[in-house]
Amino acid sequence: GMQALIWDVRGNPGGLLNSAVEVLDRFIDDGVLVSTRGRTQDQNSIYSAHAKGTWKVPLVLLTDGDSASASEIVAAALQDHDRAVIVGERSFGKGSVQKLLYLNADKTAAVKLTTETYWRPSGKNIHRGKLKESDEWGVRPNEVVN
């Protein structure tokens, strides 16, 4: 019976890339959801939507400066596909993917390395590290509310 959804990712520092892709696939029926690029060809991936089971309800997504990583993947894809109105503040601007590399067999010690960057369906990377001098980083809301 849901007729519309207000989705709040304010203060959400992110999560797993695969989880963001799975949840996006429920709301976007076709096209690229996100892609990743690394230093080698085997690190490049494109994650696409599948039409089966897509929810067609109107969406509003709330963001702030603490919305980062996987929550930004969700916001960027919904915005690029004109699937949601983004309301709030510009997101954090974390466009990088980290992986754990375990240092021993019992997995009690690890190093987290940045291995890839993620890219919006529009082809833009939102990471503010390289872009902070420009106005391109983060997900800019359709409606700014502080």
Side-chain angles (χ1 to χ4, degrees):
M2 180 172 46
Q3 296 179 3
L5 176 64
I6 299 173
W7 192 350
D8 190 352
V9 296
R10 293 174 298 173
N12 184 325
L16 299 175
L17 174 64
N18 288 341
S19 296
V21 168
E22 286 177 22
V23 75
L24 281 168
D25 201 24
R26 294 184 183 267
F27 295 98
I28 299 172
D29 59 5
D30 189 38
V32 173
L33 301 173
V34 65
S35 61
T36 61
R37 299 180 196 166
R39 291 188 176 154
T40 60
Q41 190 66 29
D42 65 324
Q43 293 176 319
N44 298 345
S45 298
I46 297 173
Y47 300 85
S48 298
H50 307 88
K52 186 176 182 178
T54 303
W55 298 347
K56 301 289 185 183
V57 297
L59 293 169
V60 172
L61 188 86
L62 307 177
T63 62
D64 67 5
D66 293 324
S67 304
S69 194
S71 63
E72 288 179 294
I73 291 171
V74 169
L78 292 173
Q79 188 176 58
D80 286 358
H81 284 278
D82 294 320
R83 188 58 189 85
V85 175
I86 311 301
V87 175
E89 301 171 349
R90 184 191 321 214
S91 65
F92 183 80
K94 182 182 177 288
S96 57
V97 179
Q98 285 82 39
K99 296 210 171 139
L100 283 176
L101 294 168
Y102 292 101
L103 301 175
N104 52 17
D106 62 354
K107 297 183 179 182
T108 57
V111 175
K112 186 184 281 190
L113 295 177
T114 299
T115 56
E116 297 140 57
T117 54
Y118 71 80
W119 297 76
R120 295 175 69 132
S122 65
K124 295 180 182 177
N125 179 274
I126 62 169
H127 193 66
R128 71 172 159 177
K130 295 179 183 176
L131 300 173
K132 63 183 160 188
E133 300 302 321
S134 77
D135 202 27
E136 295 294 318
W137 58 270
V139 176
R140 296 176 62 92
N142 302 98
E143 299 292 333
V144 177
V145 177
N146 295 323

